[in-house]
Amino acid sequence: TAAGVPADKVIAAHGNFDTCHILTGPNAGGEVPPDEVRAALAEGGEGWRGLRERYGGLVKPAIVMFGECLPARFFRCQQGDFREC
């Protein structure tokens, strides 16, 4: 990680931009390069529409949005990690 903490010690409870996936359409579940998604975000609506056309579905970074569940790893590690704190 940028902070020097080993990746296996970090739980991105609200996600991050490390991975991005296609959510809908025939390619759902496929990965999209994060840098491409960041560039599309900077372009605004045209960028997101371009991603949708290029990948055949909506694309989203692995960020937890309001109403979505936290990552499963958060719940798997929660009890043991709190005991070790």
Side-chain angles (χ1 to χ4, degrees), residues 3 9 15-16 24 27 32 38 42-44 54-56 64 71-72 75 77:
K9 299 294 183 193
N16 55 44
T24 61
N27 300 316
V32 177
R38 281 188 190 95
E43 291 177 28
R54 191 172 314 117
Y55 290 100
V64 177
F75 297 103
C77 297

Side-chain angles (χ1 to χ4, degrees), residues 34-71:
D35 289 338
E36 193 172 339
V37 177
R38 281 188 190 95
L41 177 61
E43 291 177 28
E46 289 298 317
W48 284 108
R49 283 189 284 280
L51 277 180
R52 186 181 63 217
E53 290 173 17
R54 191 172 314 117
Y55 290 100
L58 297 175
V59 175
K60 176 182 172 286
I63 294 174
V64 177
M65 302 293 187
F66 184 77
E68 293 181 322
C69 291
L70 296 176

